Every structure is written in structure tokens, then in C-alpha cells.
Amino acid sequence: FPAEPLRRLFYFVSPNETSFEKLEEVPKYVDEAIPYFVSMIIIEAIVRYIQGKPLPRFNDGFSSVANGLLSLMHGLLFRSIELSTYVWFYERFNIIQLPWNNPWTWILGMVGVDFCYYWVHRWGHEVNIIWAAHQTHHSSEDYNLTTALRQSCILKYISWMFYLPMALCVPPSIFLVHNQFSLLYQFWIHTETIKSIGPLEWILNSPGHHRAHHGRNRQYIDKNFGGTLIIFDRLFGTFAAEKEEVVYGLVHPLDSWGPIHSQICHLQYMMKTFMETQGMGNKLSVIFKGPGWSPGKPRLGMIEDIPKVSAPMPKFEGPMLPTWMNVYIWVHFGLLIVGYDMLAHRDQSMNAFSVVCYILYIIYCLEVFGALFDARMMASYMELFRCLCFILVCKAGSPTIGMSLTFTSLVYWIYIGSAILWGYLTFNQYTTKFKKAL
């Protein structure tokens, strides 16, 4: 159990061990941290059980991890847009050649990334078009380590521009290091199991500060935007201490576990509002002013319009599924995650068409799992089709699959069994509807 990857989660690293001359030398710190993410999620669940708190919900945990998986799809086809634009800008407009191996360059990179992140994050709450992307991260009504994985697949196409000023002086390798560490640090603060980190809370972002940020209580709206540091919130007047018990989630909570819905629901609402609003000035304001704005109101709307809430508040539960169904979805979801990991390690050796097909299949799988959690009418048909697609593709690619004791064969037979199960359930559902129609 190497200590260094664990230290990275808390930014306990030194400039000497994490400074690199070339971009290609920078490790994939986030990928290397995945086993630690999983371990900490399990440990948190055990601690919550000991503390007498509710365990993470199957459906909410799925929604968080599924949205995180969706946010990674872009990386299978393209280089990070934040990194690509940063390198392009650095190569053309860099005006100060800071040495990559100087500790002060490293420190400047850390503070610079956090300062830029503060403004990315703040604009993500104060500009409606950016909020349409960022709201995905806030859509969970629970707060645990899986919530940290609930990321937008749209926001990265906007956030890159905020980091460009750093390219005037900070080498790309240093930027990449701190961009990853900022993300890693923000994982562990998504927890209720740590109440305080003491005097460090004057400087560092903490679970308590970030819990308040995720609250829809009026006093917590648009507060605590920092990533690693909390000093910029204190400087710019956006800090709020955690006092009243936090009610998590969106002001207008979601009513579906489908990951695609949680990614685009506010964008759909914004476009509908844009079409219904009169006057070009007002239409543009719908896009570029705050989510709470409407004609005649201040840029960010009025705090009085935020529904007053206090804990405990009822949460969206959706249909109550039998235990076997929850286990079934998570087993197949786990297999999908393993498949994604295999794809991520082999995508460079595959042609683009094959990668796109795999991506579309993964997205379809995630939507099917969401449909099962929502108990949608067509969910059983969708799942049967998903299983049959997997079986046919496997058989076409390897006619002898299932005839040996390998992991791939085991997965193949799991899908055979699943297809039989859903064939039976689908037939049952169809005949029941037919009898009712008679």
C-alpha cells in the first residue's frame, strides 16, 4: 500500500517529487488514485454505519458514479481540452520563462490553479449557461464520497479559458500537476464523516466548508467556491461557515436517476426559458446572468426566491426496487466499469470508429441502468436489448467464447443468464399488458 498516492489526495507532496520538465513525464495521478477512491468509499460506508448514519443509497450512488463515467468519455477520443489549449497558448504567448524545477514556480502553479478554479467555480454558479453544466455536480441530495465523482461532461468545454492567463508564465507540466492535485484534493472533502480540520480551516477548503457549498439553504447559496484553498472566498466575500444543518441538492431537485437527464436538464430548461422570454436583451440575460434571474430582478436574482428549507427534508427516492434488482444493476454496472478501464488502456491501439461504438454502448448502458432505477415502462425491453447486443458482439468477435474458464467467458455467461431473465420478464410484462387490453 504505497503511501505517496495516498498523500497526493491531501496535497501532501513536495515540489521536488512532483516537478517535471516535460509534459509527457507527468504521471496520471488521477488514474493512479482510482483504487484509493474505491477504498475510501468503502471505508466511509463502514464509518457511517458505525456512526449510525444512513449508508449511501444504491440509486444515488449509481447516479453519481455514472455521471463521473460520462464525464470521462471525451478522454477516450481526444486529449484534454484544458491541457491542449493551455499548451497552444503557452507556446505562442508565454512571456516569462519560469524554471520548471524551481520550488517557487511550483508554489505559483498551485496558487494560480486554485485562483483560476475559484473563478471557474464562481462563474459556474453566477452565469446560467455555465451553471447548466455545473449543476450536475450539485444534483445529489446525499453528500458522501461518491458525490465527488458526479461530474459534468460539458463543463470542461468552458472552463479551459479561465486557466489561460497562467500560460503567460507557468510551464504546462507544472499546470498539469496542480490541475490534477486540485481534483484529487476535492475528492476527500465530500464527506460528512469529518466534522472539522481545526485551525487549517482558515486557509484550506474542508469538508465543512464544502458541505455548506453543496447546501440549498438560503445562507449557503453561492458560497465557498474554493478548490484547495478557502482564502479567496474570504478575500472576495463569498465565504460562509457551516452552522445550520445542510440540506443538499438543487433548489429544484431532480426526479430521475438517468445520468443523461442530470447532465442536460437545466440546459433544456434554459433553452425553453430563452424561447419564451421576450426581447433580445432579456433572451441574452437568460443565458449570461444568474440562474435565478428574470426580467426586473438583479443579475443573480433575489434570495427571497430561494425556497426556505431546513433539515431534515424528504429526498427523491423513485420507485422502491427489490434487493435483487439493486444488486443486479450494480453487478452489471461494475462489469461496465471494468470494461471502460480495459477500453481506456487499449483505445490508442483501436480505430476511432470502434472507440466511438464502445462509447455509444457505454452511454446506452448507463441510460438503461437509470431507466431500471426509474422503473420506466420500456426499461425491461431496453435491458434485454442491451444484453443481446453484448452477446452477439462477443460471439461475432470470438466464436469460441464461453468454452474456456476465463474472465471474459464468465462475463459472457452472466450476460446469457441476464438475457434469459429479461426475456422472461419482458414476455411476462407484454402478456400482462395484452390481457389488460382485452
Side-chain angles (χ1 to χ4, degrees):
F1 192 82
E4 186 184 338
L6 185 62
R7 287 193 288 111
R8 296 171 191 160
L9 291 174
F10 304 94
Y11 235 125
F12 289 164
V13 292
S14 69
N16 286 340
E17 63 184 335
T18 55
S19 294
F20 303 91
E21 180 179 6
K22 298 177 181 178
L23 204 58
E24 296 74 22
E25 297 173 351
V26 179
K28 294 182 178 180
Y29 290 125
V30 176
D31 290 350
E32 293 176 8
I34 289 175
Y36 296 84
F37 291 165
V38 175
S39 300
M40 290 177 71
I41 288 171
I42 294 170
I43 292 170
E44 182 195 39
I46 294 171
V47 172
R48 288 181 69 92
Y49 178 78
I50 294 171
Q51 292 177 339
K53 295 179 179 178
L55 295 177
R57 294 181 292 167
F58 278 113
N59 41 26
D60 185 83
F62 158 77
S63 187
S64 292
V65 181
N67 277 288
L69 199 58
L70 273 181
S71 72
L72 299 175
M73 293 296 102
H74 168 275
L76 295 176
L77 284 172
F78 308 107
R79 194 180 189 186
S80 164
I81 189 170
E82 286 180 344
L83 185 59
S84 298
T85 52
Y86 190 97
V87 171
W88 183 91
F89 198 85
Y90 181 85
E91 290 174 346
R92 288 161 178 79
F93 303 106
N94 172 248
I95 57 175
I96 303 175
Q97 294 284 337
L98 292 178
W100 66 269
N101 55 354
N102 189 309
W104 289 108
T105 303
W106 190 92
I107 293 170
L108 178 62
M110 175 188 178
V111 176
V113 164
D114 206 68
F115 178 75
C116 295
Y117 177 83
Y118 171 86
W119 288 106
V120 171
H121 201 176
R122 183 167 175 174
W123 278 43
H125 284 251
E126 296 185 354
V127 177
N128 205 17
I129 185 66
I130 309 180
W131 171 249
H134 181 57
Q135 58 82 33
T136 302
H137 181 63
H138 284 263
S139 59
S140 175
E141 294 179 276
D142 293 346
Y143 191 81
N144 51 58
L145 291 177
T146 65
T147 310
L149 306 178
R150 186 181 289 239
Q151 298 294 330
S152 167
C153 57
I154 304 171
L155 187 60
K156 57 176 62 105
Y157 298 103
I158 303 171
S159 60
W160 59 269
M161 62 186 74
F162 289 84
Y163 295 100
L164 292 185
M166 288 184 60
L168 296 173
C169 56
V170 177
S173 59
I174 300 298
F175 166 75
L176 179 57
V177 164
H178 290 294
N179 201 33
Q180 292 188 83
F181 284 157
S182 176
L183 186 63
L184 293 178
Y185 182 90
Q186 292 177 68
F187 172 75
W188 73 271
I189 61 177
H190 288 81
T191 185
E192 293 181 309
T193 59
I194 300 173
K195 292 302 179 184
S196 171
I197 58 172
L200 291 175
E201 295 203 346
W202 283 96
I203 301 171
L204 297 176
N205 199 4
S206 70
H209 297 334
H210 205 60
R211 283 193 293 269
H213 173 73
H214 273 256
R216 55 187 172 110
N217 316 55
R218 284 183 178 178
Q219 67 268 35
Y220 298 145
I221 295 293
D222 296 344
K223 301 295 183 183
N224 301 356
F225 298 114
T228 303
L229 305 172
I230 203 66
I231 56 175
F232 299 117
D233 286 287
R234 296 185 185 277
L235 285 172
F236 297 120
T238 55
F239 174 75
E242 181 189 30
K243 294 180 179 178
E244 179 183 306
E245 187 176 351
V246 181
V247 179
Y248 303 107
L250 301 172
V251 171
H252 302 288
L254 300 183
D255 58 358
S256 170
W257 299 115
I260 294 178
H261 175 72
S262 62
Q263 290 283 342
I264 67 173
C265 60
H266 190 78
L267 187 62
Q268 291 173 319
Y269 170 78
M270 189 185 72
M271 291 298 102
K272 181 175 180 289
T273 306
F274 177 88
M275 298 302 295
E276 294 174 350
T277 301
Q278 300 298 313
M280 185 53 65
N282 286 337
K283 285 181 180 291
L284 293 175
S285 294
V286 168
I287 297 175
F288 297 109
K289 290 186 178 180
W293 178 87
S294 61
K297 293 182 180 178
R299 181 177 70 88
L300 300 180
M302 301 178 67
I303 196 65
E304 293 79 10
D305 292 338
I306 304 294
K308 198 169 185 180
V309 297
S310 58
M313 286 286 291
K315 301 176 181 179
F316 170 69
E317 292 289 351
M320 294 298 293
L321 301 183
T323 302
W324 75 264
M325 180 77 84
N326 284 301
V327 173
Y328 173 90
I329 296 172
W330 269 97
V331 167
H332 277 267
F333 188 32
L335 293 175
L336 186 70
I337 292 172
V338 172
Y340 164 79
D341 185 62
M342 293 170 64
L343 177 61
H345 285 89
R346 295 176 56 190
D347 63 318
Q348 298 299 320
S349 61
M350 298 169 62
N351 63 68
F353 177 76
S354 297
V355 175
V356 169
C357 288
Y358 278 112
I359 290 173
L360 292 176
Y361 178 74
I362 290 171
I363 294 172
Y364 177 74
C365 290
L366 296 177
E367 191 57 23
V368 172
F369 298 151
L372 290 172
F373 274 122
D374 288 342
R376 297 180 213 163
M377 186 180 299
M378 295 297 294
S380 59
Y381 298 94
M382 294 168 67
E383 176 62 5
L384 175 59
F385 178 72
R386 187 186 75 86
C387 293
L388 291 175
C389 284
F390 183 90
I391 293 167
L392 291 173
V393 170
C394 283
K395 205 64 178 173
S398 177
T400 59
I401 192 170
M403 298 180 182
S404 57
L405 294 175
T406 63
F407 177 74
T408 307
S409 293
L410 174 62
V411 173
Y412 175 77
W413 284 110
I414 289 175
Y415 270 84
I416 291 286
S418 299
I420 294 171
L421 169 66
W422 288 102
Y424 169 76
L425 293 175
T426 302
F427 178 77
N428 233 18
Q429 181 181 340
Y430 177 78
T431 52
T432 302
K433 285 171 59 180
F434 182 73
K435 288 177 182 178
K436 285 182 178 179
L438 293 176

